[in-house]
Amino acid sequence: MYPPNSNPVIKSNPTSNGGASITTVANNAGSTNKKDNSIIDVTGDSYYLNRPTSLKKYSPGVPLWAHHYVYSYSEIRGANIAQRQFYEVFKNSFLQGEYLDLAGNLNYAFILLFDLLQEYEIHRDIKRLEHQLAALGVCYPKTKSYGISFLIEKMIACGDQEGVLRLKPPTRVEYASYSYEPDYWKLGSKYKAKLGLNDEEVILLNKLWNNSNAFTSIEYCYLQIMKLYLATIKGLQSKYNEEGTSLNEQFSAVADLVARKHFKYRKGSSNYQYCIESTSNGFYSTIFKYCENTVRETYGHKRKISVDTDFLNSSTNLDFEEKILSKVTQILPTLSITIPAPDDLTELELNSQNTARWKLKFEALTSAFAGNSNQFLEDILQLGKANAKNPSIENIFFEASKFISKYDKETALALYVHYLYHDLKSATFDNRQLTKTIQKNLFKTAEQLAEFTAVVNKLIADKNLDKALEGVKNIYLVKRKKIQLDTTAIKEVQQHHSGTVKLLNEYLKDDKEEIQALNAGGSSEEVSITFTQDRIGTQASPYSTNISFTSLHIEALEVFTKGNFSVPQSDLEAFAKAKGVFKNQLIDSINEICFDDLDDVLIEEEEDYYTINPNYYQRLLTV
């Protein structure tokens, strides 16, 4: 138990190597012979935390979340609305130094653990992560041992050897009281049964940590990366054997250079020995990243992960590239052809993450088009099914309608109806129009245009796709005039043959002229599709009323939501140019409006992309 009037504190405790140890020390309010687990030493500064025994009760009640093993932040997707809403409250409270009592629902704490690890990949502040995981371990002790293990892995990756030495020895960390299997969270142990791994393969995968991201959260993709990694290591071993050496020898040789040249460790020292081990494991992690990028490229996933190595300097990097990386890059192209195609569920997830991925398949379909409009329509519908979770799905049908309009008018209209149907279901009804040239090609008479306009306005009103598609089928049917003759007229025809012929010729002349107009495009009328806008309704802004977004800002944010909160810089620049504004000016104005609410920027630059933190975006929406 904690003393009744004391607060836990994270406090410095310098070690002989200049670092600070995570350990338990006596509480000032208690006996010097007792230890208080609420105090964790991490750095030279002090950070005060509310003690776990006085966690703040969440008055509305913590939504129940049945316990299960949490392996990555992506498992928040399996939470229901109430659980997700509480998690946002829980996380925001935690970051502000207020710690909520989870009432035994530790899934939230483990989701936060992986969330913090994921955010570290953006801010790259290892001390900030260390403080956060220390606080998490104090307040929710079940996360403590896992947090330390992940922290060690991050420190190895960024070259913080002093931090690793501070945390790794068991004598410096009091977590023996918790049941902990160090390999439990590692890939080899987790996927041994599913992949049918032998002991050597388990060891190779256990050299890696379960680093999750959006792409690897799709298990099918993760499995293919692991298979490719194992095959690459096997190929690397074979190459070294052909040269009369071994993988371990070459890894150790390069790691020796890193320890002596980069970190200046004395050969044979404890720091040197540990550096050899951690650096060698870093080589395996780098190879795994190359394998992941190969799978991403094979699956048409546009974004690649960074393969930079923090533990190498300019001189040691040359040895790494010559002895290890050059062989890896030779092996991967030959192995990439063995990667199986994604299954249907994986296609759905990949298309939802990379909203422009459909363009690769679309280009293949248009390039291979041989005049079969029905087959093209079927292929586009299948492509639409594979993009059911893609917020930009309507663009597939719009582009397909434009393409096929040169070959088949009815198919073009059917695909345009599909576009409008999905556009109506999207966050904003864009109502993109076909060009005047295409419209004139599709409609040769004002009657055809009027019929299609009626079909579209009906679709906008009732959202009935099947009925609209049936209406399209009738637009190009030839409408012939009906001639009704009674018996008296027939007798008159018999008596006055010449007069009847003249009368029939007048009827047939009118009909013939109309058919000729249809075939030759004889209509001189200006055609244009006009939809009944008042049937659509005005959509209210989804954002909080205290945020003064303009219509341009809202349109720009829609570009991000349709792009899964990540937009290539070139695409955003094109959007801004089309709107007559400067890209940087647009971004700065949005960030300035949001800053007071978020206390941070909303839109950030990340390599060749602009990204939005989904958690920040949620805070902008109306409750």
Side-chain angles (χ1 to χ4, degrees):
M1 295 290 293
Y2 299 98
N5 297 312
S6 66
N7 282 326
V9 59
I10 297 179
K11 186 179 179 184
S12 66
N13 183 24
T15 63
S16 59
N17 62 9
S21 62
I22 292 185
T23 185
T24 58
V25 300
N27 188 283
N28 294 333
S31 169
T32 57
N33 294 325
K34 295 181 180 179
K35 291 187 175 182
D36 184 353
N37 288 330
S38 66
I39 302 176
I40 297 182
D41 298 336
V42 290
T43 67
D45 301 320
S46 296
Y47 298 85
Y48 287 86
L49 306 172
N50 295 329
R51 62 182 181 274
T53 53
S54 61
L55 296 175
K56 182 178 179 180
K57 184 176 181 180
Y58 184 61
S59 56
V62 179
L64 179 66
W65 196 351
H67 169 72
H68 69 278
Y69 289 108
V70 177
Y71 293 104
S72 71
Y73 172 70
S74 64
E75 297 192 35
I76 191 69
R77 297 177 181 177
N80 59 38
I81 295 176
Q83 291 165 345
R84 290 190 185 189
Q85 290 176 341
F86 171 74
Y87 175 75
E88 292 303 318
V89 173
F90 166 61
K91 177 185 177 181
N92 291 332
S93 298
F94 179 89
L95 294 177
Q96 294 170 16
E98 184 176 77
Y99 309 105
L100 302 181
D101 186 349
L102 295 178
N105 294 276
L106 288 180
N107 288 353
Y108 296 107
F110 280 98
I111 288 289
L112 179 58
L113 169 64
F114 287 104
D115 198 355
L116 296 174
L117 291 168
Q118 189 167 285
E119 288 187 348
Y120 164 75
E121 298 301 328
I122 299 175
H123 63 69
R124 306 297 293 180
D125 186 341
I126 194 67
K127 291 301 180 186
R128 173 177 166 185
L129 177 65
E130 187 173 359
H131 298 155
Q132 290 174 337
L133 297 189
L136 191 67
V138 167
C139 299
Y140 313 100
K142 290 291 185 183
T143 68
K144 181 178 178 181
S145 56
Y146 301 109
I148 291 171
S149 298
F150 286 128
L151 185 59
I152 290 174
E153 184 265 334
K154 298 298 182 186
M155 287 177 167
I156 291 173
C158 72
D160 185 2
Q161 299 298 326
E162 290 185 357
V164 172
L165 292 173
R166 183 172 72 244
L167 300 181
K168 187 169 178 112
T171 56
R172 297 189 184 278
V173 185
E174 265 195 16
Y175 57 89
S177 60
Y178 303 113
S179 175
Y180 174 57
E181 299 176 16
D183 288 343
Y184 174 79
W185 292 83
K186 295 184 179 180
L187 294 181
S189 300
K190 179 181 177 182
Y191 289 101
K192 180 178 181 179
K194 180 165 285 190
L195 290 175
L197 305 176
N198 57 40
D199 291 341
E200 182 182 355
E201 291 170 330
V202 169
I203 293 172
L204 285 173
L205 282 171
N206 278 351
K207 292 179 180 293
L208 311 165
W209 287 95
N210 189 0
N211 284 327
S212 62
N213 54 52
F215 186 75
T216 58
S217 68
I218 306 172
E219 188 177 54
Y220 185 92
C221 298
Y222 212 3
L223 293 175
Q224 305 315 316
I225 298 169
M226 285 184 272
K227 291 177 183 178
L228 182 60
Y229 163 79
L230 292 173
T232 302
I233 296 297
K234 185 177 180 181
L236 198 56
Q237 289 171 332
S238 297
K239 280 188 174 292
Y240 286 137
N241 290 340
E242 292 172 1
E243 297 174 359
T245 182
S246 69
L247 183 144
N248 288 335
E249 288 178 8
Q250 294 300 310
F251 277 28
S252 297
V254 180
D256 168 76
L257 294 174
V258 174
R260 291 186 296 106
K261 292 185 177 182
H262 185 67
F263 293 108
K264 310 299 182 184
Y265 291 143
R266 177 175 53 82
K267 189 169 185 177
S269 66
S270 58
N271 282 347
Y272 172 87
Q273 296 296 341
Y274 183 72
C275 184
I276 294 295
E277 177 188 350
S278 61
T279 303
S280 295
N281 287 342
F283 295 156
Y284 287 103
S285 296
T286 301
I287 293 172
F288 190 83
K289 290 177 181 178
Y290 274 90
C291 292
E292 179 174 341
N293 279 342
T294 300
V295 176
R296 284 175 177 241
E297 183 176 358
T298 302
Y299 287 171
H301 195 75
K302 197 171 185 179
R303 301 192 65 181
K304 303 290 182 67
I305 60 171
S306 172
V307 293
D308 292 339
T309 48
D310 297 330
F311 50 83
L312 298 175
N313 59 24
S314 57
S315 60
T316 55
N317 190 53
L318 291 175
D319 291 280
F320 172 69
E321 290 183 354
E322 179 183 348
K323 295 183 178 181
I324 299 173
L325 191 56
S326 62
K327 291 179 171 55
V328 171
T329 54
Q330 290 174 11
I331 293 169
L332 283 174
T334 61
L335 293 176
S336 63
I337 60 176
T338 66
I339 300 173
D343 58 20
D344 291 342
L345 291 177
T346 302
E347 284 283 353
L348 280 172
E349 294 299 329
L350 288 172
N351 289 329
S352 69
Q353 289 186 13
N354 192 337
T355 56
R357 184 172 177 268
W358 61 269
K359 293 182 180 179
L360 296 174
K361 179 66 174 177
F362 182 79
E363 289 172 2
L365 291 176
T366 53
S367 298
F369 181 71
N372 190 335
S373 300
N374 291 333
Q375 184 61 52
F376 180 79
L377 174 62
E378 182 61 29
D379 291 337
I380 293 298
L381 293 178
Q382 288 298 320
L383 184 58
K385 289 180 180 179
N387 283 268
K389 297 172 67 174
N390 185 345
S392 300
I393 182 175
E394 68 265 24
N395 294 329
I396 299 172
F397 296 102
F398 183 79
E399 295 300 325
S401 176
K402 286 168 54 179
F403 171 81
I404 202 66
S405 65
K406 300 186 293 289
Y407 308 99
D408 190 300
K409 297 176 184 178
E410 184 176 321
T411 302
L413 292 187
L415 287 169
Y416 189 75
V417 165
H418 276 282
Y419 156 71
L420 288 173
Y421 174 73
H422 288 284
D423 192 23
L424 286 165
K425 295 200 304 181
S426 65
T428 303
F429 183 55
D430 300 315
N431 188 17
R432 295 174 64 186
Q433 299 289 301
L434 296 170
T435 65
K436 293 291 185 182
T437 301
I438 293 177
Q439 290 185 37
K440 288 180 179 180
N441 179 55
L442 292 176
F443 306 110
K444 297 305 182 184
T445 68
E447 183 182 5
Q448 291 175 350
L449 177 61
E451 285 190 43
F452 184 64
T453 303
V455 168
V456 167
N457 286 330
K458 183 66 175 175
L459 173 66
I460 293 172
D462 61 18
K463 312 294 191 300
N464 191 324
L465 176 62
D466 291 336
K467 186 184 294 184
L469 292 174
E470 284 298 319
V472 166
K473 293 179 181 179
N474 296 324
I475 290 175
Y476 293 112
L477 294 178
V478 177
K479 284 78 173 177
R480 295 187 177 276
K481 293 182 179 180
K482 295 181 180 180
I483 302 174
Q484 294 182 344
L485 298 175
D486 57 21
T487 54
T488 304
I490 293 174
K491 290 180 179 179
E492 291 178 356
V493 168
Q494 293 174 344
Q495 295 173 1
H496 308 283
H497 182 268
S498 59
T500 302
V501 170
K502 182 179 179 181
L503 177 63
L504 288 176
N505 280 340
E506 288 299 321
Y507 280 112
L508 294 176
K509 178 182 178 183
D510 292 343
D511 200 31
K512 182 177 180 181
E513 288 176 351
E514 182 171 326
I515 294 172
Q516 287 176 341
L518 286 169
N519 292 333
S523 174
S524 60
E525 297 179 62
E526 178 71 17
V527 295
S528 177
I529 303 176
T530 304
F531 303 141
T532 309
Q533 296 295 327
D534 59 348
R535 303 279 294 275
I536 300 171
T538 303
Q539 295 180 326
S541 169
Y543 303 103
S544 176
T545 53
N546 65 336
I547 302 176
S548 55
F549 284 143
T550 66
S551 59
L552 177 59
H553 294 152
I554 294 174
E555 286 186 59
L557 292 175
E558 286 166 1
V559 174
F560 279 93
T561 57
K562 289 186 176 183
N564 203 25
F565 300 105
S566 180
V567 178
Q569 290 190 23
S570 58
D571 288 1
L572 193 61
E573 186 169 7
F575 170 82
K577 186 176 181 181
K579 298 298 180 180
V581 298
F582 291 108
K583 175 190 64 177
N584 292 340
Q585 183 183 32
L586 176 61
I587 294 172
D588 290 344
S589 63
I590 293 175
N591 282 338
E592 184 177 350
I593 291 172
C594 300
F595 192 83
D596 289 340
D597 292 271
L598 301 177
D599 196 27
D600 200 353
V601 296
L602 176 67
I603 303 174
E604 294 186 290
E605 184 175 346
E606 184 179 332
E607 296 180 355
D608 297 329
Y609 287 76
Y610 286 110
T611 62
I612 286 180
N613 185 323
N615 294 331
Y616 284 176
Y617 181 79
Q618 290 297 323
R619 288 164 60 181
L620 302 178
L621 301 177
T622 54
V623 179

